[in-house]
Amino acid sequence: MNNYFLEYYEKVKSGEILVGKELMKTLDNLYKDLSNPRYFFDLRPGSIRIDFIETFCKHTKSPFTGQPFKLTLWEKAFLQVSYGFKMSDTKLRRFNEVILLIARKNGKTTFIAGIDLAEFFLSRGVDIVCASNTSEQANILFDEINNMREASPTLEKRTSKNIFCIKFGKKNDKRSSLNKSKIKKMSAQSKNKDGYNIEVGCIDEVHEMTDSKVYDAIKQSQSTKKEPLIFIITTEGVTVGGFLDSKLEYARKIIKGEIDDERVLPWLYTQDSQEEIFNDPKTWIKSNPSLGEIKQMSYLEDLMNKSKNDLATRVTMLCKDFNIKQTEDGSWLNFKDIENKDTFNIDDLRGSYAIGGVDLSSTTDLTAAVLYVEKEGKKYLISHFFMPSDVLRERIQEDNVPYDIWVEKGYITLTEGSQNDFSLVTQWFRSMIDKYDIRPLWVGYDPWNSQYWVKEMEDMGFEMVKIRQGVYTLSEPMKQLEADLRNHVLNYNNNPIIKWCLANTQAKVDVNGNIQPSKLNSRLKRIDGTVATIIAYATLTRYKLDYEAMTE
């Protein structure tokens, strides 16, 4: 039998295969454990599973559909280590938990499916569970297992499937039904997580789990097992403080020697820095061990090019393709993107149709109002701000910005008392019509705290458009604003408050690449001008064809 672990280790140490420092430390520790009398390394358990997968399992997805499942060297080494280390005193398997962190598109779901099928046929009378955060994600793994089972005539003729599980036995086949093993699925949404007899649990994509309920249910069900095993296989995520964060924190303490836990195997494919990702494509294999064999280099190159100009792509790429932890709030624009010293004379926009956007605030924050104008193929932004006079001095000290100078220069209108007077916002829109004949066709607003003001605006003849502040409403308008700012095609008249608000803005990114604005680091940072502008862009998106027809 081949010792794939040693083969992999030697190629890593020679530099033929690149891995990150975290996995290198794990491999070094495992190599030392080969001579530790507390353990012995048995090649047979891993080799049997490798032989089973490569003999009976086939790929079910393009471009490998129908081809035999040939494991890569890292997968063979991983299986031999997971199953092969035994305790010298009890002769039982050492590891009962394995944490595999690997970037997307490296074949992990297919790999897990092969492991589960091997367990299914090599065990007897056990439950094998494929689990994930949601029923849909658990179904992905379960369906892949079933597709792989159906693709093999040898496996299919001895087994059957219903909506609950895959099990041994066909009608009139008493011999095959003697094995009572089952493959089931579980998620955080499963109502009944008890009553399982789990020998091996595979938890896929745990990065969205906020708690450990699925893990705990599997762990508890294994309390009577002599050789239980849980595979936690995932990419990085954006959920902060969730189950994955706690697991990886624990795993990294094991790697550093801060925690002594010989029963957990951390196998983490990670980069050593974010800088190397952008500067040296050769290092991409550190988090993508199947690069070139399963995952294509051209895929990452395309993402890298797009990420240079698209925040959502950059955040998702770093997280899902390189296992660099990203919070939901990613930096949106740098100063080079924001800086635009172009100015305009508002008199040159006389007689224009506009689209309004407003972000209201009752007390501490600014209230922002903007008018977006397109004229002769160019884009302009007129903006004005409002603040209660009673909080001016306090805000100057807290925010460390020159509100008093901005008031003197006419960028801010002070309202009497400690709360904003929204009637002044109405008066500003009216003044744009009366002084410059710049008429907003629609005014977008967030419905929070706006009931009476909206009625006042409607009574004045303005057409009001409700724009709720949420990811699905603001994502595309925010991306369009981002593009206009990066390309320096939006002339905001070098307004210092707009520039400051843009610099304070982060983009809250979800796993689907949708974005919405959030404050940068501190509750004291103001982003009201950004929000009002995005609302104007959202209104423009809704009425784009009508607006273009009016401005032709």
Side-chain angles (χ1 to χ4, degrees):
M1 287 180 285
N2 293 326
N3 190 326
Y4 295 112
F5 166 63
L6 276 182
E7 182 182 348
Y8 186 59
Y9 181 70
E10 289 168 359
K11 289 186 176 182
V12 168
K13 294 299 286 185
S14 70
E16 182 178 347
I17 295 176
L18 286 180
V19 300
K21 293 178 182 178
E22 290 182 320
L23 183 57
M24 178 66 81
K25 180 63 174 175
T26 295
L27 297 176
D28 285 338
N29 292 338
L30 291 169
Y31 181 75
K32 293 177 184 177
D33 286 342
L34 291 176
S35 56
N36 187 335
R38 182 167 175 76
Y39 317 111
F40 69 96
F41 190 48
D42 185 355
L43 295 177
R44 290 174 297 175
S47 297
I48 290 171
R49 287 161 176 83
I50 291 168
D51 290 343
F52 177 91
I53 292 171
E54 295 195 326
T55 301
F56 297 108
C57 297
K58 296 181 183 297
H59 286 281
T60 65
K61 295 179 180 177
S62 176
F64 308 107
T65 307
Q67 297 180 22
F69 192 167
K70 298 301 180 184
L71 296 168
T72 62
L73 179 57
W74 78 261
E75 290 172 325
K76 293 177 181 179
F78 174 81
L79 279 173
Q80 281 192 334
V81 169
S82 299
Y83 286 95
F85 273 93
K86 301 289 185 72
M87 306 299 296
S88 296
D89 54 354
T90 64
K91 307 299 187 286
L92 297 176
R93 186 171 56 233
R94 171 186 173 181
F95 296 115
N96 58 29
E97 185 172 313
V98 179
I99 303 170
L100 173 61
L101 180 68
I102 185 170
R104 64 181 173 183
K105 303 296 183 183
N106 279 274
K108 66 177 178 56
T109 300
T110 303
F111 185 35
I112 306 171
I115 294 173
D116 280 346
L117 276 177
E119 287 301 321
F120 183 49
F121 279 87
L122 297 174
S123 303
R124 184 178 291 271
V126 299
D127 288 346
I128 298 154
V129 168
C130 49
S132 192
N133 186 52
T134 65
S135 299
E136 291 78 9
Q137 187 67 46
N139 279 331
I140 291 174
L141 177 54
F142 184 80
D143 290 342
E144 177 67 5
I145 295 168
N146 185 58
N147 292 338
M148 193 176 287
R149 176 191 70 90
E150 292 180 336
S152 170
T154 303
L155 304 183
E156 196 279 333
K157 73 179 182 180
R158 290 174 172 82
T159 56
S160 60
K161 170 188 173 291
N162 57 39
I163 61 174
F164 302 107
C165 67
I166 298 169
K167 62 180 181 179
F168 273 91
K170 297 269 192 178
K171 289 184 179 180
N172 303 319
D173 185 3
K174 295 181 179 180
R175 183 177 179 183
S176 65
S177 62
L178 293 176
N179 188 336
K180 302 298 183 181
S181 294
K182 293 182 177 65
I183 299 178
K184 301 180 179 180
K185 52 191 173 183
M186 177 193 295
S187 75
Q189 299 165 333
S190 300
K191 292 182 180 179
N192 185 6
K193 301 182 184 67
D194 301 320
Y196 286 85
N197 182 31
I198 300 172
E199 189 76 20
V200 174
C202 291
I203 313 178
D204 188 21
E205 297 292 23
V206 303
H207 56 84
E208 291 185 8
M209 289 185 179
T210 56
D211 56 45
S212 61
K213 290 178 181 178
V214 171
Y215 170 83
D216 292 341
I218 294 175
K219 197 74 173 177
Q220 184 178 4
S221 75
Q222 294 180 327
S223 60
T224 62
K225 301 295 181 181
K226 291 183 178 180
E227 292 187 300
L229 185 56
I230 297 178
F231 287 101
I232 298 171
I233 303 181
T234 188
T235 58
E236 256 294 3
V238 297
T239 300
V240 178
F243 174 72
L244 179 59
D245 281 359
S246 64
K247 273 295 168 188
L248 290 181
E249 181 182 5
Y250 190 82
R252 285 172 171 136
K253 287 182 178 179
I254 294 174
I255 294 171
K256 295 176 183 177
E258 298 173 5
I259 292 177
D260 183 14
D261 190 339
E262 64 186 2
R263 309 310 298 274
V264 176
L265 171 63
W267 195 284
L268 312 183
Y269 284 107
T270 54
Q271 303 289 146
D272 294 325
S273 71
Q274 186 167 309
E275 288 71 26
E276 71 178 6
I277 297 171
F278 292 98
N279 297 326
D280 189 359
K282 292 180 181 178
T283 67
W284 294 352
I285 198 169
K286 292 181 181 181
S287 49
N288 295 274
S290 298
L291 191 62
E293 295 178 274
I294 298 174
K295 190 170 186 174
Q296 298 302 307
M297 191 74 172
S298 58
Y299 167 83
L300 283 179
E301 290 171 344
D302 290 344
L303 276 181
M304 183 63 66
N305 289 332
K306 187 178 180 182
S307 73
K308 294 175 182 178
N309 297 302
D310 185 86
L311 167 76
T313 298
R314 184 167 67 250
V315 170
T316 304
M317 179 193 73
L318 290 173
C319 181
K320 308 307 292 182
D321 291 288
F322 294 105
N323 285 328
I324 300 290
K325 179 71 177 182
Q326 301 290 295
T327 63
E328 289 186 325
D329 291 340
S331 58
W332 187 37
L333 300 168
N334 57 43
F335 188 74
K336 182 180 178 181
D337 299 324
I338 298 168
E339 179 73 353
N340 186 347
K341 294 183 179 180
D342 292 345
T343 60
F344 59 86
N345 189 326
I346 194 169
D347 283 317
D348 294 336
L349 300 181
R350 284 184 179 277
S352 299
Y353 289 115
I355 292 178
V358 177
D359 184 41
L360 300 176
S361 173
S362 59
T363 53
T364 58
D365 291 341
L366 292 168
T367 280
V370 303
L371 284 170
Y372 171 92
V373 177
E374 286 188 23
K375 187 172 184 179
E376 298 177 351
K378 296 183 178 180
K379 301 178 180 181
Y380 303 91
L381 190 73
I382 306 167
S383 53
H384 197 73
F385 298 84
F386 306 84
M387 173 180 281
S389 58
D390 287 358
V391 301
L392 177 64
R393 293 300 168 189
E394 181 182 351
R395 295 293 166 261
I396 292 172
Q397 293 179 354
E398 287 187 348
D399 295 1
N400 196 29
V401 292
Y403 286 120
D404 51 348
I405 295 176
W406 290 343
V407 170
E408 290 176 7
K409 291 189 174 183
Y411 296 122
I412 298 175
T413 294
L414 291 179
T415 67
E416 293 185 7
S418 60
Q419 291 189 330
N420 272 311
D421 180 358
F422 296 153
S423 292
L424 296 179
V425 180
T426 306
Q427 292 175 24
W428 180 78
F429 278 110
R430 187 69 241 179
S431 71
M432 291 296 103
I433 298 174
D434 295 340
K435 291 182 180 180
Y436 304 106
D437 194 24
I438 299 175
R439 186 176 300 274
L441 300 175
W442 304 276
V443 177
Y445 69 96
D446 177 24
W448 180 85
N449 200 32
S450 63
Q451 181 179 356
Y452 298 108
W453 173 73
V454 169
K455 187 176 186 310
E456 179 181 86
M457 288 284 285
E458 289 174 339
D459 289 344
M460 291 283 289
F462 293 100
E463 184 168 345
M464 305 301 291
V465 180
K466 186 184 297 184
I467 304 290
R468 295 190 180 277
Q469 292 192 34
V471 65
Y472 297 110
T473 305
L474 300 185
S475 181
E476 288 306 315
M478 188 173 178
K479 289 180 180 180
Q480 183 58 55
L481 173 59
E482 177 183 341
D484 284 351
L485 290 168
R486 287 184 187 277
N487 294 322
H488 303 291
V489 298
L490 179 65
N491 186 339
Y492 56 83
N493 214 17
N494 201 24
N495 185 299
I497 308 181
I498 284 289
K499 188 181 298 186
W500 179 62
C501 289
L502 290 170
N504 290 339
T505 305
Q506 281 191 291
K508 189 174 185 179
V509 184
D510 69 13
V511 293
N512 297 314
N514 296 310
I515 62 175
Q516 66 183 109
S518 69
K519 292 182 180 180
L520 178 64
N521 298 329
S522 171
R523 66 181 180 85
L524 301 177
K525 299 293 185 181
R526 314 296 175 199
I527 65 170
D528 312 86
T530 305
V531 174
T533 306
I534 295 172
I535 287 174
Y537 268 68
T539 309
L540 171 65
T541 300
R542 190 174 298 183
Y543 295 100
K544 186 172 181 60
L545 294 178
D546 294 335
Y547 183 68
E548 289 176 349
M550 294 291 289
T551 55
E552 285 182 352

